[in-house]
């Protein structure tokens, strides 16, 4: 019997229950996979706490994983039993085995281990759209990236540096600062001991950054706006500390005619062509060795509650995997 983490009520990490589940053969358009590793992401916490609403209850959380195809349903082209695959946008990842729409999975290049694929798909494709689609980062770009030592932050720092940018980050401890500095960042500010706005202004000669990427939310708003140069861009793509509240659009005028956006990965991979293009861009940069994927923590799938609690309390850095 397959095993999975099942949520039957909204709440804290204790609502994550490890249970046996029945698994039907894959239906039309689906494949069945045996999962090798599952990525842990803040979006999983958002669904557990109710910040984001699940379409059903009970539900199996998780968006990202990698494994081996074990069965193929009708009307599936391009995938066969034994294929190594990964995904980043399909609910139900916290399971040992699962069925998934074939349109949501991608073949993993032979050079990339499945554990690495599970660690990088959601975070890496997020970094891809942030740096190459939301704002086209290149030589001459100066950017700020909050949570520099997080899963997305470590990938984004390396990728932005490879694109020629000056990369400024924030982190909450010397250990995380050192980790970010080893992964592309030119400067990392300790937000617990320094005023990050003043430090950004100092590092940029008073000009501010071209673009600021913020997945923290409540704790960094509106201060992040003061780090951005006039007519620069604020990219709010997460809510690790809670959602941004009382946002009035007039503040963008007050802070220098700023632009603001709240992008999601799903909007950037809504078609099969867009999904493949985003993933292939990620695969290429990883295979070039310009971006290294760090798996800094692993937990048994049954300990998903502890893993999420550690993520929420900022005890983790880089990427965390759940192992079935």
């Amino acid at each position: 019997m397959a095993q999975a983490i099942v949520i039957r009520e909204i709440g804290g990490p204790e609502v994550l229950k490890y249970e046996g589940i029945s698994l039907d053969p894959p239906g039309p358009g689906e494949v069945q996979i045996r999962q090798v590793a599952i990525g842990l992401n803040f979006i999983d916490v958002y669904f557990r706490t109710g910040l984001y609403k699940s379409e059903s209850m009970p539900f199996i959380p998780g968006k990202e994983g990698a494994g081996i195809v074990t069965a193929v349903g009708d009307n599936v082209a391009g995938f066969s039993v034994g294929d190594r695959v990964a995904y980043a946008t399909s609910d139900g990842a916290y399971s040992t085995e699962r069925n998934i729409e074939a349109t949501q999975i991608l073949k993993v290049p032979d050079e990339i281990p499945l554990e690495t694929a599970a660690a990088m798909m959601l975070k890496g494709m997020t970094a891809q759209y942030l740096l190459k689609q939301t704002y086209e980062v290149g030589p001459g770009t100066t950017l700020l990236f909050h949570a520099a030592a997080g899963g997305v932050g470590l990938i984004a720092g390396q990728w932005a540096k490879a694109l020629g940018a000056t990369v400024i980050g924030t982190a909450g401890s010397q250990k995380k600062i050192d980790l970010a500095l080893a992964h592309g960042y030119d400067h990392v500010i300790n937000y617990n001991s320094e005023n990050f706005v003043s430090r950004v202004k100092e590092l940029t000669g008073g000009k501010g950054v071209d673009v600021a990427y913020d997945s923290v939310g409540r704790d960094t708003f509106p201060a992040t706006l003061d780090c951005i140069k006039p007519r620069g861009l604020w990219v709010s793509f997460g809510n690790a500390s809670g959602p941004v509240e009382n946002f009035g659009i007039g503040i963008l005028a007050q802070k220098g005619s700023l632009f603001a956006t709240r992008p999601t990965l799903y909007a950037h991979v809504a078609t099969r062509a867009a999904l493949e293009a985003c993933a292939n861009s990620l695969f290429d940069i990883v295979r070039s060795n310009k971006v290294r994927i760090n798996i800094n923590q692993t937990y048994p799938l049954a300990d998903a509650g502890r893993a999420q609690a550690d993520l929420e309390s900022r005890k983790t850095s880089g990427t965390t995997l759940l192992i079935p």
Side-chain angles (χ1 to χ4, degrees), residues 18-41:
Y18 190 60
E19 302 178 3
I21 60 168
S22 60
L23 187 64
D24 295 328
E30 293 182 335
V31 302
Q32 189 169 107
I33 62 176
R34 174 180 55 80
Q35 303 219 98
V36 170
I38 299 149
L40 178 73
N41 295 283

Side-chain angles (χ1 to χ4, degrees), residues 223-268:
T224 299
L225 302 183
D226 291 321
C227 298
I228 305 170
K229 65 175 55 174
R231 293 183 291 170
L233 176 64
W234 174 51
V235 183
S236 173
F237 71 100
N239 317 278
S241 67
V244 170
E245 297 175 336
N246 301 318
F247 173 72
I249 197 167
I251 196 172
L252 301 177
Q254 299 166 20
K255 300 296 185 180
S257 294
L258 302 182
F259 295 88
T261 184
R262 180 57 174 91
T264 68
L265 174 60
Y266 308 103
H268 288 80

